[in-house]
Amino acid sequence: MVKAYQRYTPRTTFGVITSGNSNTIYDSSGKYVVSPALEDVTIWDPKKGDLVGRWHDSDNKAEVTCIARSVDQDSYAVGYANGSIRIWSMKSSEVLVTFNGHRSAVTALAFDKSGGRLVSGAKDTDLIVWDVEGEVGLYRLRGHKDQVTSVRFISRPSAVDGGKSTDGYILSSSKDTLIKLWDLSTQHCMETLVAHRNEVWDCDVNAEETMLVSGGGDADIKVWKIDAAALRTGLATGEEARNIGDEGAMDDESSGSGKAISYYGSIPRQSKERVLTLKFHSSQQFLGCQASDKSIELFRIRTVEEIKKKMSRRKKRQREKQQALLKKGDKEGAEAEEPVDETIQATDEITPWHVVRSGAKFRSFDFAPSKDVEKIGHVQLVVSLNNNTAEVWTAPHPASAKNEEVTAEPNKAYTLELAGHRSDIRAVALSSDDELLCSASNNSLKIWNVKTASCIRTMECGYALCCAFLPGNRHVIVGTKAGHLELFDLGSSSMIESIEAHEGAIWSLQIRPDRRGLVTGSADKDVKFWDFDMVEEQVGQTVKKRLSLVHMRTLKMSDDVLCVRYSPDQKLVAVSLLDATVKVFYHDTLKFFLSLYGHKLPVLSMDISSDSNLLVTCSADKNVKLWGLDFGDCHKSLFAHQESIMAVQFVWNTHYFFTASKDRTVKYWDGDKFENILKLEGHHGEVWALAVGTYGNIVVSASHDRSLRIWQKTEEQVFLEEEREQELDDLYEATLTASFEKTGMVDNGEGNVGVPSTSNGDELAAAGKQTMDTLKAGERIMEALELADQEINAWKEYNAGVARGQRGLSKPQRSPLLISMRQTPEQHVWYALERIRPAELDEALLVLPFSTVTSLLNWLDVFVQREYNINLICRVLFFLIKSHHNQIVANRIMRPMLDSVRRNLRAGLQKQKDILGFNVAGLSYIRREYEANNTSDFFDEEAVRKDEEKKQESEKKRKFIKI
C-alpha cells in the first residue's frame, strides 16, 4: 500500500512592516500607509499603529518591487520581481487586473491623469503602456540600455483652451544616464537629455507640467524647464505647426530652439550619497529629495512675487553697499561692484528649507496628498527605513513657523515599529501549548500570539542566538553572543536576571526532559548543566521569590560547542563540535559513549527522535545524516539543500523531521524511508531558525527577510510519486517560459511570429509576454475548436447520408463534455474565448497554428450573425488577420468566408452604432428635463430691494404681472 502523508500549507506571514525592495506610499485620503511586505502589500493606520488590511494573492510568490496610486482613489498598481503587475482595489482588497509583459522586476510605475492608462518600466530596460480599463497592453517602447528608474506621464497641451488633451508624452529616466521623452501619438522617442554623468535614479514633474527635476549620483539636483508650445506641436514644424495652433512655431524653427525640455539650472544638495527619490508636494510649494543615507532634504518652491521681493532686497543691499563705499571715498570699489543679475535662476526658485534625519537609512518617502497645506499648518510625509520601520514626520509650514509657539524643525509624529524586528531573527521557540511564540534578534525579544499573529510583548535583550520557553510558559530564557543567559518574565515584560554563564557565545540551549533544568553549549568549549531554583529577593519591605538558575556541572570539550541536545529519555547528551564531529555522552555520569563523524563541515543543528532511537544532524556541507543511537551507525546521508542547513527538528512521536536552510526553503522528510515529502517555499532570504509545534500541527520558520511564517498541517493527503511528478512539471514549465523569453515570440511587423524583436532594433514592440497561462489558454481554444469541428462534421456526414437515402445510419453520439456542460458546439467555442483574460488574449491567439486559425475565422462569422460580444469578436478577428496576413493573402479559398465576415460585421457594427446613438440622445433628453425641473435661481435680497427702490424713484413706473 502506498503511504500517504499530510500536507503543510502556509497559514500566515507576519513580522514585516515594510520590506526594502519597494517604495511606501500614502493612500488617497492620507490616513493610511500602503507598504510592501515581501510578496504581500499591507495597509497600516500610523496613528493607531494597527494593521488595517493585507493584499495577498495565493498565486504569487514574487516580492513587491514598486507601488503606485491611481487618481480614482481606489486602484493601486503593484509591480513584482517576476515582471508581473497587479491592479488592486483598496475597497475590496482584490486583484482587478493582472498584466504580464516584463521579463524582470518592475522598477517604475505611473498612472496618467485620468487613471485609464498605466506605464511601467523594469530592469529589462523596456517601457510598456497598459490600458487599465480595457485590461490590455498597448505597446512596448525600447530605447534605454539599462534599468528604467522612473516614469511619468506628461499631457499634451490642447491647441484650444478647454479642449481635451490627446495622447500625450511619457518621460523616463534610466541607469544608462539618459532621460527620454516619448511621444505617444507616434510611439517613438522624441528627445533624449544627456546631462548626468552618473546613473539617473529618479525624476519628477510638477503638477503644472512646467518643471522637471532629476537626480542621480551627482552632487546636485538638475532642474529643467518644459516648453508647453513645443509639446503642443510635437515634431510638427512650420506650416503644419501653425495649423495645429502654435503661432510661435515658425519663430522657434528659425531660431533653432524647438526643444521641449531645456536645462534651467542645478540645486546643490547637502548629502554626498546618490539620490533615491525626488517628489513634488501636491501643493507645488515643496520638493523632497531623499538620498541613500539617513537624510531627506526638503526644498521650498517660491512664487514669482517672492522671487521679485528677494531681488529687490538684493538690489537694496547692493545700493547700500555702494553708498557706504562712496562715503569712505572708495569710488573705484563702488564702480567695480557687479550689478544684480535680474534673470531668475533655479536656485532663486527652489531654496533649501529643512532636513529630516533618522537613525537608520531611508528606503523611500511620500508626501501626504493634501493641497491646502497652509490651513493644516504643516507638511506631512511618510518614510520607510531599511530596518523594517515606517515613520511619519511633520514639518511646520513657513507661514505657521513664524509663530513662536510652533517649533521650526521637523518632528517625528508616529512610528510603526512594534510589529517587527529591526534585524535578522536568529532564534524562535514555541510554548508547550503552541499558543505563544517567542522570536529573538539583536537587541530585541518579541512574544507573539500564534492565533492572531500579533505582537503582545517586546523586551530588550543582547544579541540573541538561542531561546526557549521555561516550564509554565511564563518565562523565556535567551542565550546571547556575549555569553550571557538572560531570564525574562512575561507577566512584567522585564528581564529578571542576566547570568554571565560562558566566556564565549552561547550557540545552543535546551530544557531538560524532566523540566527541572537546562543545558547550554558555548564557543568557550564548555557544556554547562543548570538547575532551576527559587531565590528570595527583597523588594522594598517585602520578600518575594523569583525563578533563577544554579550551575551544577560543566563538561569541557576539545573544540567550540555548536549544538547540545538531550535524548527524550534523558539518558544521553549529544554535543556537536566545530571539528565537524558529534560526541554522545551518558547524562548521569558524563562518560563518553559515541563519536559520530562523517560530515565535512561543522554540524549546525541536530535533534533526537521522541523514542530516543534516531539522531538527525544537519551541517554546513548541505547534508543531513541519520544515525542510530544504539551503535552510532549512519543509517543514511541525504544531500538535502543547495546551501548550508541551519536547523533541523523532529515531529514528536514520529520519525518525520523538518530542515531549514540558507537556500530559502523549509523541507519535510521521512526519516524511515529517507524521502523528501514536501518542499515549503515562500521566504525571500536565508531561513535562520525553525520551531515545530508539540504535536506537529504547526511549524514556524524565521528568516533573514525579517518575516515569521507559520505552516499549518492540513487533512489533505500527499503522495510522494505525485509530488515528484508535480516538481518535474514545474521545472518543465519554468524552462519553457524561460526559452520563450530568450527567443522572444513577438511579431516584428511582417507577420513572422517568433522572430526575436530585439534583432531589428525597433523602438516599438508588442506589449505581451508568453507565460504558462497564455499557453494553456491557447491550448484550451484549440481543444474547443477541435471538439466543435468534430461534432459539426459528424452531423454533416449524417445529414449527407440521409439526403443520399442511405439506410441504417445511426445518429452521431454527442460529446460527453458538451452534454455535461449543456452547451452546443458554437457555445463551447465562445465559452473558451470568453474565459481568457483580455490581457492574455493576444498571446493565447499567437499559439494557434494556421489550420486552427481558419477554423476559428469560420466560427467568428457565426458569432457575428448571432450578435455575440462585438468588441471581443473584432479584437480576435483583427489580431488574427494582422498576425497571419501573409498566409491569408496567399490563400484564395478564404476570400468568400472573409467577405461574409466583413458583410455581417458591418451590419452588426451599424446596429451597435444605432443603439448607442439612440441611448445618447435619450440620456441627453433626460439631463435637459432634470436641469429644467430641478434648477432653482438664488437672489440676493439686498440687491433686489435696492433695484426696487431705484424703480420707484424713476419717473416711469412699469408693472409686471406674473401668471
Side-chain angles (χ1 to χ4, degrees):
M1 187 178 168
V2 179
K3 189 166 184 181
Y5 303 89
Q6 285 176 288
R7 185 179 294 281
Y8 282 82
T9 56
R11 188 174 99 181
T12 181
T13 304
F14 55 99
V16 181
I17 297 166
T18 170
S19 50
N21 285 342
S22 175
N23 59 317
T24 299
I25 62 168
Y26 268 110
D27 75 327
S28 52
S29 66
K31 186 180 176 184
Y32 299 119
V33 171
V34 181
S35 75
L38 303 175
E39 72 271 23
D40 297 345
V41 177
T42 50
I43 295 103
W44 297 87
D45 184 343
K47 282 187 181 177
K48 297 178 182 174
D50 293 342
L51 179 66
V52 179
R54 181 184 289 270
W55 298 342
H56 174 74
D57 188 352
S58 54
D59 297 335
N60 170 58
K61 288 183 180 176
E63 196 169 353
V64 174
T65 54
C66 190
I67 305 173
R69 182 177 64 240
S70 175
V71 293
D72 68 359
Q73 302 187 355
D74 182 47
S75 303
Y76 291 78
V78 180
Y80 295 86
N82 60 358
S84 65
I85 300 164
R86 286 171 176 78
I87 311 289
W88 289 87
S89 165
M90 176 67 105
K91 290 174 188 168
S92 63
S93 294
E94 290 178 355
V95 180
L96 302 175
V97 195
T98 303
F99 295 127
N100 279 300
H102 290 289
R103 290 184 294 279
S104 55
V106 179
T107 52
L109 289 167
F111 283 95
D112 69 352
K113 284 185 175 178
S114 67
R117 286 179 302 173
L118 172 74
V119 61
S120 60
K123 284 186 178 176
D124 62 6
T125 75
D126 293 349
L127 296 170
I128 301 181
V129 182
W130 308 91
D131 180 357
V132 177
E133 288 158 4
E135 300 184 14
V136 292
L138 298 175
Y139 40 82
R140 184 189 301 261
L141 299 170
R142 289 196 169 104
H144 285 294
K145 297 289 184 284
D146 207 337
Q147 172 186 325
V148 178
T149 53
S150 73
V151 285
R152 295 287 183 277
F153 272 100
I154 298 179
S155 52
R156 186 193 292 269
S158 306
V160 182
D161 288 338
K164 197 175 182 183
S165 60
T166 53
D167 283 336
Y169 299 88
I170 284 174
L171 196 76
S172 65
S173 68
S174 168
K175 284 169 72 174
D176 61 6
T177 75
L178 303 177
I179 299 171
K180 285 180 179 282
L181 182 67
W182 306 82
D183 188 343
L184 297 186
S185 56
T186 56
Q187 296 164 12
H188 79 291
C189 179
M190 178 177 150
E191 260 182 47
T192 302
L193 308 179
V194 187
H196 289 271
R197 298 197 174 180
N198 302 321
E199 300 162 339
V200 183
W201 280 97
D202 201 12
C203 65
D204 198 16
V205 180
N206 65 351
E208 286 87 21
E209 295 178 348
T210 56
M211 188 190 294
L212 161 70
V213 290
S214 62
D218 307 326
D220 51 15
I221 302 167
K222 294 199 171 1
V223 188
W224 312 77
K225 279 287 183 188
I226 300 173
D227 184 7
L231 289 182
R232 190 179 298 122
T233 58
L235 289 179
T237 52
E239 198 63 39
E240 192 181 350
R242 200 169 277 172
N243 293 337
I244 291 170
D246 189 6
E247 298 296 329
M250 287 293 283
D251 304 332
D252 286 347
E253 189 189 14
S254 57
S255 62
S257 60
K259 283 191 173 181
I261 300 173
S262 54
Y263 185 64
Y264 183 34
S266 60
I267 306 160
R269 300 189 292 123
Q270 288 187 18
S271 175
K272 302 289 183 231
E273 298 293 324
R274 64 179 171 87
V275 171
L276 270 185
T277 315
L278 279 168
K279 212 162 258 183
F280 281 101
H281 191 268
S282 52
S283 68
Q284 304 310 307
Q285 298 177 23
F286 310 101
L287 168 69
C289 170
Q290 173 229 332
S292 64
D293 58 5
K294 302 175 184 179
S295 68
I296 295 174
E297 293 175 51
L298 300 176
F299 297 87
R300 270 192 71 189
I301 301 171
R302 298 186 181 275
T303 59
V304 178
E305 290 79 17
E306 287 177 325
I307 296 167
K308 283 179 179 175
K309 281 182 185 177
K310 193 178 177 184
M311 290 281 188
S312 62
R313 282 201 300 270
R314 202 181 291 169
K315 282 182 185 176
K316 188 180 176 184
R317 281 200 299 271
Q318 192 182 27
R319 280 200 305 271
E320 287 171 358
K321 197 173 179 184
Q322 284 177 338
Q323 285 170 4
L325 288 168
L326 286 168
K327 278 182 183 178
K328 289 179 183 176
D330 190 357
K331 196 175 182 181
E332 289 180 6
E335 287 172 0
E337 197 72 32
E338 290 183 10
V340 174
D341 188 6
E342 292 193 17
T343 56
I344 297 173
Q345 305 290 332
T347 47
D348 296 328
E349 195 168 343
I350 301 174
T351 56
W353 181 41
H354 282 309
V355 179
V356 177
R357 298 186 194 280
S358 189
K361 281 190 177 181
F362 289 115
R363 169 59 190 86
S364 68
F365 84 96
D366 188 31
F367 284 113
S370 54
K371 291 187 178 178
D372 195 0
V373 191
E374 289 182 26
K375 188 178 178 182
I376 298 166
H378 61 257
V379 178
Q380 190 165 304
L381 61 152
V382 63
V383 297
S384 64
L385 285 77
N386 67 357
N387 66 351
N388 195 23
T389 313
E391 295 174 349
V392 175
W393 288 76
T394 57
H397 192 272
S400 64
K402 291 173 184 175
N403 184 357
E404 292 179 6
E405 295 176 9
V406 181
T407 55
E409 288 301 311
N411 68 308
K412 195 190 298 182
Y414 314 109
T415 307
L416 292 169
E417 61 179 0
L418 286 178
H421 284 274
R422 304 286 76 75
S423 56
D424 291 12
I425 303 166
R426 299 311 295 255
V428 289
L430 281 163
S431 61
S432 57
D433 56 3
D434 294 346
E435 293 287 326
L436 298 177
L437 167 72
C438 92
S439 60
S441 66
N442 184 10
N443 298 328
S444 174
L445 171 72
K446 287 183 180 287
I447 310 298
W448 308 81
N449 183 326
V450 172
K451 281 185 181 175
T452 62
S454 57
C455 179
I456 52 177
R457 293 280 187 277
T458 300
M459 293 163 273
E460 284 190 17
C461 66
Y463 196 125
L465 296 175
C466 51
C467 64
F469 276 95
L470 298 191
N473 301 329
R474 293 183 181 181
H475 298 84
V476 171
I477 190 153
V478 174
T480 68
K481 202 171 183 179
H484 293 192
L485 279 174
E486 297 178 348
L487 191 58
F488 293 88
D489 178 28
L490 301 188
S492 62
S493 297
S494 61
M495 186 198 299
I496 54 175
E497 190 174 10
S498 177
I499 303 162
E500 292 184 17
H502 291 270
E503 292 173 5
I506 301 173
W507 288 110
S508 177
L509 65 83
Q510 193 191 16
I511 307 296
R512 213 159 61 207
D514 65 5
R515 303 169 73 79
R516 292 183 178 180
L518 56 90
V519 62
T520 57
S522 166
D524 64 1
K525 306 180 184 179
D526 285 352
V527 176
K528 292 190 178 180
F529 297 86
W530 308 78
D531 276 0
F532 300 131
D533 193 15
M534 298 301 288
V535 178
E536 291 185 350
E537 189 176 51
Q538 190 157 355
V539 180
Q541 295 180 355
T542 58
V543 176
K544 287 187 178 179
K545 285 189 175 183
R546 67 164 177 82
L547 191 67
S548 182
L549 294 176
V550 179
H551 178 219
M552 303 303 288
R553 295 185 291 176
T554 301
L555 176 63
K556 293 203 174 287
M557 305 303 295
S558 59
D559 218 326
D560 291 16
V561 178
L562 296 180
C563 187
V564 186
R565 285 290 177 267
Y566 277 111
S567 64
D569 60 10
Q570 208 174 310
K571 287 181 181 176
L572 303 172
V573 176
V575 182
S576 81
L577 304 176
L578 197 63
D579 62 6
T581 64
V582 176
K583 302 281 195 291
V584 184
F585 298 88
Y586 289 105
H587 173 251
D588 49 2
T589 60
L590 296 186
K591 279 187 178 177
F592 175 74
F593 173 46
L594 293 169
S595 179
L596 312 176
Y597 53 89
H599 283 290
K600 296 179 179 66
L601 290 169
V603 173
L604 301 176
S605 180
M606 59 185 175
D607 198 22
I608 298 173
S609 62
S610 52
D611 58 7
S612 302
N613 288 338
L614 276 183
L615 169 72
V616 62
T617 58
C618 66
S619 164
D621 63 9
K622 308 172 192 175
N623 287 314
V624 165
K625 290 185 189 289
L626 286 150
W627 314 80
L629 280 178
D630 40 7
F631 304 110
D633 55 326
C634 180
H635 289 188
K636 188 73 174 176
S637 180
L638 303 165
F639 181 73
H641 288 271
Q642 302 300 317
E643 293 288 339
S644 301
I645 306 168
M646 303 307 296
V648 64
Q649 192 172 342
F650 273 108
V651 177
W652 183 259
N653 216 17
T654 68
H655 284 175
Y656 306 150
F657 61 91
F658 285 89
T659 56
S661 166
K662 281 187 180 180
D663 66 2
R664 307 179 178 188
T665 60
V666 176
K667 289 188 179 179
Y668 184 33
W669 303 82
D670 185 343
D672 292 327
K673 292 193 171 183
F674 316 122
E675 290 276 5
N676 178 20
I677 304 166
L678 283 174
K679 185 179 179 183
L680 305 177
E681 293 177 304
H683 281 291
H684 297 271
E686 299 93 338
V687 185
W688 292 121
L690 185 73
V692 179
T694 310
Y695 300 106
N697 291 328
I698 59 167
V699 177
V700 181
S701 55
S703 167
H704 170 70
D705 60 21
R706 293 169 191 155
S707 71
L708 289 155
R709 286 173 194 265
I710 297 179
W711 312 85
Q712 176 89 39
K713 188 199 268 188
T714 62
E715 295 299 318
E716 186 188 344
Q717 290 189 322
V718 176
F719 298 98
L720 295 180
E721 285 185 11
E722 288 180 8
E723 281 299 306
R724 297 298 89 83
E725 284 175 15
Q726 185 62 44
E727 283 175 15
L728 285 172
D729 286 348
D730 292 343
L731 187 66
Y732 170 69
E733 288 177 5
T735 52
L736 195 65
T737 48
S739 66
F740 281 135
E741 286 174 15
K742 284 174 189 170
T743 55
M745 282 184 65
V746 183
D747 182 9
N748 67 356
E750 299 172 6
N752 302 325
V753 177
V755 178
S757 56
T758 45
S759 59
N760 54 17
D762 287 349
E763 282 187 348
L764 190 67
K769 177 182 85 165
Q770 282 288 3
T771 62
M772 282 314 297
D773 290 337
T774 59
L775 279 176
K776 286 173 182 173
E779 286 171 2
R780 283 199 299 271
I781 297 173
M782 287 159 67
E783 286 166 8
L785 286 168
E786 189 180 348
L787 183 67
D789 287 346
Q790 281 176 2
E791 192 90 357
I792 295 296
N793 292 335
W795 278 101
K796 276 183 181 176
E797 286 176 15
Y798 172 74
N799 292 331
V802 169
R804 286 195 299 271
Q806 290 181 5
R807 293 183 179 181
L809 288 174
S810 58
K811 286 188 177 181
Q813 285 285 328
R814 281 199 71 197
S815 165
L817 182 64
L818 293 178
I819 294 169
S820 65
M821 296 179 77
R822 297 178 182 178
Q823 290 176 337
T824 61
E826 113 191 19
Q827 287 170 338
H828 187 59
V829 175
W830 180 250
Y831 178 67
L833 273 176
E834 228 178 5
R835 275 174 65 199
I836 300 169
R837 286 187 287 199
E840 295 171 354
L841 186 61
D842 291 0
E843 300 299 322
L845 293 172
L846 277 180
V847 176
L848 306 182
F850 187 67
S851 57
T852 316
V853 169
T854 54
S855 169
L856 182 55
L857 287 170
N858 282 314
W859 282 109
L860 287 175
D861 193 16
V862 176
F863 299 152
V864 172
Q865 292 171 34
R866 297 282 193 279
E867 296 184 0
Y868 287 171
N869 183 346
I870 204 91
N871 292 337
L872 181 59
I873 293 168
C874 288
R875 193 177 158 201
V876 173
L877 180 66
F878 299 155
F879 184 81
L880 290 176
I881 291 172
K882 186 179 167 187
S883 301
H884 301 275
H885 183 257
N886 292 353
Q887 293 93 321
I888 291 169
V889 169
N891 190 349
R892 291 186 178 182
I893 303 165
M894 294 180 70
R895 182 164 181 180
M897 184 262 292
L898 287 171
D899 280 339
S900 170
V901 172
R902 182 180 61 180
R903 192 170 54 253
N904 293 325
L905 191 61
R906 282 187 174 174
L909 287 169
Q910 185 61 46
K911 193 173 181 181
Q912 291 281 330
K913 187 180 174 186
D914 295 343
I915 292 168
L916 285 170
F918 181 82
N919 289 342
V920 167
L923 286 169
S924 59
Y925 171 75
I926 291 167
R927 192 183 73 181
R928 285 197 304 273
E929 280 286 304
Y930 179 82
E931 286 175 353
N933 295 330
N934 294 281
T935 307
S936 303
D937 293 332
F938 288 93
F939 298 100
D940 186 355
E941 288 183 5
E942 189 68 25
V944 171
R945 190 174 55 79
K946 284 180 180 178
D947 287 345
E948 286 177 356
E949 286 175 359
K950 282 180 182 178
K951 283 178 184 177
Q952 288 171 4
E953 287 171 6
S954 63
E955 292 176 357
K956 292 180 182 180
K957 292 182 181 179
R958 288 177 293 176
K959 289 184 179 179
F960 293 92
I961 300 169
K962 287 186 180 179
I963 298 170

